[in-house]
Amino acid sequence: MSHLLKQHDPQQKQSFIQRLLDRGVYKLKDKQLYECTMEELERLVHMVELP
């Protein structure tokens, strides 16, 4: 009964990807961004958006 683990929101994922692309991040290691999990994308967004 976890509210956090609802179906992955494709719009949220798209938003993460867009934010990363805007900062020139196109891949995570050898994976394309769209192949990454939400968790990986979220971590990446936090890394690039921290001042």
Side-chain angles (χ1 to χ4, degrees), residues 2-10 38:
S2 171
H3 303 295
L4 295 174
L5 293 176
K6 62 182 194 312
Q7 285 301 85
H8 283 322
D9 182 353
M38 284 288 286

Side-chain angles (χ1 to χ4, degrees), residues 27-43:
K27 294 183 159 197
L28 175 60
K29 303 182 183 87
D30 298 333
K31 293 201 299 193
Q32 300 295 328
L33 293 179
Y34 66 84
E35 297 176 298
C36 296
T37 65
M38 284 288 286
E39 290 75 21
E40 290 171 320
L41 289 171
E42 195 167 8
R43 203 171 315 127

